[in-house]
Each structure stands twice: as C-alpha cells, then as structure tokens.
Amino acid sequence: MKKYKCTVCGYIYDPEVGDPDSGIAPGTAFEAIPDSWVCPVCGVDKSQFELTE
C-alpha cells in the first residue's frame, strides 16, 4: 500500500497502521480517508500530502 507524506511537517501516513486516534482503521488506503481528515501532527488537510517513494 502507498504511503503519503505531509509536506508541511513530514508526518508519514502508513495505511498498514492507519490513524487509530482519528478513527482511521489499519489497512485504510489514503484515498479512502474522508476529506475531513487532517494531519494528526500539524492539522493540515489531505491536499498537503504527497505520495512517497
């Protein structure tokens, strides 16, 4: 599964881990996260994330 990086703070969203503190279950692809989700570290929206290699 593809990982995405916050371009503001460097947080990496790993779909294998998800974001349980925000209600995102492990195994949830970045594309499947609701648009209302924000970076758990700095609070920016999904548009500030980019695909990592």
Side-chain angles (χ1 to χ4, degrees), residues 3-37:
K3 295 180 183 179
Y4 284 77
K5 179 179 180 180
C6 177
T7 60
V8 175
C9 73
Y11 169 81
I12 302 288
Y13 174 76
D14 183 346
E16 292 182 13
V17 177
D19 182 14
D21 293 340
S22 298
I24 308 298
T28 302
F30 186 79
E31 297 81 6
I33 297 173
D35 289 337
S36 60
W37 179 81

Side-chain angles (χ1 to χ4, degrees), residues 24-49:
I24 308 298
T28 302
F30 186 79
E31 297 81 6
I33 297 173
D35 289 337
S36 60
W37 179 81
V38 296
C39 177
V41 175
C42 70
V44 297
D45 63 38
K46 283 179 64 177
S47 70
Q48 299 295 314
F49 280 72

